[in-house]
Amino acid sequence: MSLVHDVAARSFGWDPLRPGLAEAVEVLLDGGDVLAVMPTGYGKSAVYQLAGTILDGLTVAVSPLISLQEDQVRAIREAIDVPGAVAINSAEGERAQERDWEALAAGDARFVFLAPEQLANPAIRERLAGLRVTLFAVDEAHCVSAWGHDFRPDYLILGDVIDELAHPPTVALTATGAPPVRAEIAERLHLAHPRVLATGFDRPNLRLEVARHERDSEKRDAVVSQAVRLAGSGLIYAATRRDTELYAEALVAAGSTSAPYHAGLTAAEREDVYERFMAGRARVVPATSAFGMGIDKPDVRFVLHASVTDSLDSYYQEIGRAGRDGEAAEITLHYRPEDFALTRFFSGGEPDAQELAAVFASIAHSPGSSRADIAEHAGMSPRSLGRLLGLLRDARAVSGTDDDLQAAPLDAGQAAARAVAEALLRKRIEHSRSQLMQEYAETARCRRQFLLGYFGEELAELCGNCDTCSSGSAARWMTEHAGAGEQPFPPAARVRHESWGGGVVMHADGDRLTVFFDGEGYKVLSLDAVREGGLLTLV
């Protein structure tokens, strides 16, 4: 452990390390796997940077955005006595990429950053296999989970890639992950009994508030008024591209510097907004969720939500961009009751069984086909195919990497039926997550206790820095729900319900129990009803 702290201080200037980081490095140095669930700005990348510096071999770091890769390469190159790093991606030409591979082969660079899409390329995996990979890191690991807020089918190949590389010590990093998400990350990345280190979720410097509105115009006026009133830089999250533009126009009219950010802008336009925000020339950025990973501005003083998110995972990730310097920051969710119904309406419909059957049949007819081959044969976009392949993989109807797809011994109808059932399960889970988001908005209890409980952390005392604590409703709630007696279902316990099957206890609050059921999603149960009916048992 002293070696880890010495390298952290001497090479990177990290003294002291935050809790959990050195422990994670030690597990990797001993040959184990780690799942690190730590908030945005916590310094999770230190885990593989330190382990990769100490280990004598190549560290492969999977990162979904070129900007994130470049930031990490820059940080490693600025460190003292740390091996070289390269990022091999589409921003480079073929000649530059070849120079990077030569540097890796010669040992001049011992960190390589790749996007998950690149690892679907057999040529890249073959080159990695020819090198001595001693550490594998997966950043934004929640992208591999169907229950994560930013699921990406390209992440599904990573477990197979890790196995192809003889399963070096592997670390999965995420800033948000409720227990069900953690379990799925471990399963899909083929982590071997990983050490799960979840810490630092409590951000006491963030003031948590919720404002309910009856009319859309009232909500819009309140959001703009609050953004104008608050000092410093801030973000406003909105559901649609048009809303980001409307909020930016209103803010400019009110005298604030503002610019919208959404996926409809060109890459150059998005980069311009990002640079203006980072430099303080755009004080407030109304944005869709596209303004997400890679935002590293420590002095964001407020994050306002003008629309509800699909889950508490998404919400926590987005509010985590505020107050990263440890100073006070304002967090407010503005909503109308009908906003939650709209969120569920837009959550997506049932997949086309005929399309699923056609994709499966193509793979069964030509074992070993690539994703590109199947997309061309089926006449669909890679994005549409990716969603269908994700469902078929989840249903155990298709396996293998994207350049070597294999079909299970099923007929096309069976495969499609399994995949449709998987999609319906996802929809039930998404619906339950939306319901918990609504419960957070409407709760009378301490909001920080509610939020931390969702991530499996208990806060015994009222936080004193949220609107329900300030109004006194949190204290009244605790009084009303006290006296539940001994808790027979502790957090993280596996349980079984006679109707909903197996699940895991998320948290217990007085006389209420929140359980994530594998086949149904989140349910909030009355502890008295559970006791009297005998419907829930420990397993």
Side-chain angles (χ1 to χ4, degrees):
M1 189 72 79
S2 61
L3 173 61
V4 175
H5 286 283
D6 287 347
V7 173
R10 183 183 70 252
S11 297
F12 295 94
W14 299 326
D15 187 18
L17 282 171
R18 283 176 165 153
L21 297 178
E23 182 181 352
V25 176
E26 281 290 309
V27 173
L28 295 170
L29 296 180
D30 288 341
D33 292 341
V34 172
L35 171 55
V37 188
M38 299 168 182
T40 301
Y42 196 80
K44 297 182 294 298
S45 57
V47 174
Y48 64 80
Q49 290 175 359
L50 290 170
T53 298
I54 296 170
L55 289 168
D56 183 21
L58 176 64
T59 294
V60 176
V62 179
S63 184
L65 297 179
I66 291 175
S67 60
L68 290 177
Q69 296 175 16
E70 292 173 345
D71 286 346
Q72 294 303 321
V73 168
R74 189 180 306 113
I76 291 171
R77 288 176 177 173
E78 291 173 353
I80 299 170
D81 295 330
V82 173
V86 297
I88 300 176
N89 53 53
S90 58
E92 289 188 313
E94 290 186 13
R95 185 172 300 177
Q97 290 186 19
E98 193 57 38
R99 283 199 300 269
D100 288 341
W101 283 112
E102 290 172 358
L104 293 170
D108 296 330
R110 294 211 329 250
F111 290 89
V112 58
F113 289 83
L114 297 163
E117 297 85 353
Q118 291 172 285
L119 290 168
N121 184 335
I124 287 180
R125 295 205 309 280
E126 186 176 345
R127 297 192 80 153
L128 287 177
L131 303 171
R132 195 165 69 89
V133 177
T134 53
L135 181 65
F136 198 96
V138 181
D139 203 3
E140 308 294 347
H142 58 270
C143 294
V144 79
S145 169
W147 317 138
H149 66 278
D150 195 18
F151 174 61
R152 299 190 181 191
D154 292 305
Y155 267 73
L156 293 174
I157 66 170
L158 296 182
D160 291 334
V161 173
I162 291 167
D163 289 344
E164 286 181 16
L165 297 173
H167 201 118
T170 299
V171 56
L173 307 165
T174 179
T176 175
V181 176
R182 300 173 198 173
E184 193 173 15
I185 291 172
E187 177 186 355
R188 292 193 167 184
L189 293 180
H190 304 171
L191 302 185
H193 307 292
R195 178 79 61 84
V196 179
L197 298 170
T199 187
F201 278 99
D202 189 9
R203 300 282 304 283
N205 61 312
L206 302 185
R207 167 77 180 182
L208 303 178
E209 296 190 348
V210 173
R212 172 177 169 144
H213 307 281
E214 298 305 322
R215 298 186 306 276
D216 186 62
S217 59
E218 173 193 336
K219 181 177 73 169
R220 290 176 183 275
D221 290 345
V223 170
V224 173
S225 176
Q226 186 179 11
V228 170
R229 172 176 54 82
L230 293 172
S233 297
L235 296 169
I236 297 174
Y237 278 103
T240 67
R241 299 174 183 181
R242 180 58 179 155
D243 275 345
T244 67
E245 294 166 354
L246 290 173
Y247 279 112
E249 291 169 6
L251 287 164
V252 170
S256 286
T257 55
S258 180
Y261 187 104
H262 55 72
L265 301 176
T266 65
E269 289 171 331
R270 293 196 300 272
E271 182 65 22
D272 177 62
V273 174
Y274 172 79
E275 293 296 337
R276 288 163 62 192
F277 180 65
M278 296 298 288
R281 298 195 306 274
R283 188 178 74 86
V284 185
V285 171
T288 62
S289 58
F291 201 60
M293 289 182 285
I295 307 305
D296 189 16
K297 184 174 173 61
D299 59 346
V300 175
R301 296 274 65 88
F302 59 91
V303 173
L304 312 180
H305 277 77
S307 59
V308 299
T309 60
D310 62 344
S311 68
L312 285 169
D313 299 87
S314 302
Y315 189 66
Y316 181 83
Q317 182 85 345
E318 290 171 358
I319 68 174
R321 295 179 182 117
R324 293 178 60 173
D325 56 4
E327 299 298 319
E330 296 279 337
I331 304 298
T332 305
L333 169 65
H334 292 266
Y335 82 99
R336 300 172 305 153
E338 56 263 45
D339 290 345
F340 293 99
L342 288 171
T343 300
R344 289 190 280 270
F345 177 79
F346 288 114
S347 63
E350 185 176 321
D352 189 308
Q354 290 185 330
E355 288 186 343
L356 286 163
V359 169
F360 177 85
S362 294
I363 297 170
H365 184 264
S366 303
S369 295
S370 69
R371 177 170 165 175
D373 292 336
I374 299 301
E376 182 178 358
H377 183 265
M380 62 179 60
S381 70
R383 183 179 182 84
S384 297
L385 178 62
R387 179 171 181 265
L388 297 176
L389 281 176
L391 291 172
L392 289 166
R393 280 193 171 106
D394 284 348
R396 305 291 192 268
V398 166
S399 61
T401 59
D402 278 10
D403 60 280
D404 183 24
L405 294 168
Q406 303 290 334
L410 304 167
D411 63 43
Q414 289 175 316
R418 282 192 187 182
V420 168
E422 188 67 31
L424 293 175
L425 170 59
R426 285 189 189 179
K427 195 169 182 64
R428 290 197 298 273
I429 301 287
E430 289 166 2
H431 179 77
S432 75
R433 281 151 50 99
S434 176
Q435 287 180 312
L436 273 191
M437 187 68 211
Q438 184 170 2
E439 187 172 345
Y440 168 81
E442 297 176 346
T443 188
R445 65 177 298 223
C446 170
R447 295 198 196 281
R448 185 167 275 101
Q449 284 183 333
F450 188 104
L451 194 58
L452 292 177
Y454 177 78
F455 292 104
E457 289 193 5
E458 297 296 320
L459 183 64
E461 303 296 328
L462 298 179
C463 78
N465 195 26
C466 70
D467 55 352
T468 54
C469 280
S470 297
S471 70
S473 72
R476 290 192 296 272
W477 191 96
M478 286 195 74
T479 300
E480 292 168 2
H481 293 79
E486 183 180 351
Q487 176 51 254
F489 302 104
R494 289 292 302 180
V495 294
R496 176 164 291 278
H497 190 278
E498 72 171 30
S499 298
W500 297 324
V504 60
V505 175
M506 301 294 294
H507 59 278
D509 305 308
D511 62 353
R512 291 148 63 92
L513 196 67
T514 301
V515 181
F516 178 89
F517 291 101
D518 303 331
E520 292 293 330
Y522 296 93
K523 300 287 186 182
V524 180
L525 311 176
S526 161
L527 189 55
D528 287 341
V530 166
R531 284 171 167 157
E532 292 171 7
L535 301 177
L536 199 66
T537 56
L538 290 168
V539 296

